[in-house]
Amino acid sequence: MSGSRATPALVRRFAYLPKPDGPHARLGVLWFIAACAACALGTIAVAVLFAAVAAIAAMQTIRTWSDNGRQATPLLGGIAAAIVPIAALVGPIGFIAGVVVSVAVLIIGGGVLRSNVIVGLRSALLPAIAAGSVVLIGRTDMGALVVLLILVSAYEVGDYLMGSEANSVFEGPLSGIAAVLVVTFAEAVFQLGPFETRAGWVFGALVAALAPLGAPLASALAPSASSAGPALRRLDAWFVVAPVWGLMLINYLSQIG
């Protein structure tokens, strides 16, 4: 009996069903256009865009925790989240240094401002790492980042179109995975970006496998699945994909180079 009660509670805590109401579709299209424009403009534009989204995501999440009685300073989290993607412009060393500085800002700043350090770390660190990983991918190979953007966007479209009207938490992610595999087929056939056919399937499969993990992770960062803010949801599909893709991309390019 306790197990049957625990399972729905666990699902409610971490599962996320996209909402069909509001301007979600239009905002998604605008985000895709902005991300494509940033890729066209270069790595600095990518860093600015993703740093801004990571900062907003951290601040929105901290506000939800504050509303639930865990007082923290949103601006401190926003600054910490923006540090990593900006520092990643320097390269992997800058990325690592940015993470260290971000953690230090949250701990030291939290002590000075009497801000809840755990809430700050919980709200800012993962968006910062994901955004910084995106910048590293763009710095390594912008064509690869464009491919990743298309694959992640395909997942988000499939997840939203089916998940927003679904009765099950699995329909959206499964539709997103199917969309990724369709796009991966085109990527592998036409060998888009730096990827030859086999690598195209491997990197596409990574997105299909890892993108669905982002939504429950975002739910875990917030007080509840429903309280995760729109900026956090905008980044969530990148949470696991971007760091893993970045590491795999560096290894792949070193082998073919």
Side-chain angles (χ1 to χ4, degrees):
M1 180 67 71
S2 60
S4 63
R5 291 178 179 175
T7 301
L10 191 65
V11 170
R12 287 195 301 271
R13 176 63 183 89
F14 295 106
Y16 172 67
L17 287 174
K19 297 179 177 61
D21 58 328
H24 299 289
R26 292 191 295 274
L27 290 175
V29 172
L30 289 174
W31 162 253
F32 180 74
I33 293 172
C36 288
C39 290
L41 291 172
T43 313
I44 293 177
V46 171
V48 170
L49 176 64
F50 276 84
V53 177
I56 295 170
M59 289 189 289
Q60 288 177 343
T61 306
I62 289 173
R63 286 195 186 98
T64 62
W65 280 110
S66 296
D67 292 341
N68 282 268
R70 304 280 293 276
Q71 295 301 316
T73 306
L75 183 59
L76 186 65
I79 292 171
I83 288 173
V84 179
I86 297 301
L89 286 168
V90 181
I93 294 177
F95 173 84
I96 295 171
V99 173
V100 173
V101 171
S102 179
V103 171
V105 166
L106 290 167
I107 294 175
I108 297 173
V112 172
L113 299 175
R114 299 183 182 277
S115 175
N116 191 305
V117 174
I118 300 300
V119 167
L121 291 169
R122 184 173 184 171
S123 303
L125 208 52
L126 188 53
I129 290 173
S133 299
V134 172
V135 176
L136 282 181
I137 293 170
R139 188 179 183 275
T140 303
D141 191 295
M142 188 58 74
L145 178 56
V146 172
V147 171
L148 177 58
L149 172 63
I150 293 171
L151 289 170
V152 170
S153 299
Y155 173 80
E156 291 176 332
V157 169
D159 182 36
Y160 177 77
L161 289 179
M162 297 301 295
S164 60
E165 301 291 344
N167 294 320
S168 168
V169 297
F170 300 107
E171 291 181 36
L174 288 174
S175 300
I177 291 170
V180 170
L181 294 178
V182 171
V183 175
T184 298
F185 175 78
E187 174 214 343
V189 169
F190 294 104
Q191 299 186 1
L192 302 178
F195 306 113
E196 49 87 25
T197 299
R198 183 180 300 177
W201 279 108
V202 171
F203 279 85
L206 279 174
V207 176
L210 300 179
L213 302 179
L217 271 176
S219 299
L221 299 183
S224 65
S226 60
S227 65
L232 189 65
R233 290 299 177 193
R234 179 52 51 203
L235 276 181
D236 64 8
W238 299 82
F239 280 171
V240 184
V241 169
V244 174
W245 241 67
L247 291 173
M248 293 283 290
L249 179 66
I250 292 172
N251 181 62
Y252 170 69
L253 293 178
S254 67
Q255 290 181 1
I256 66 172

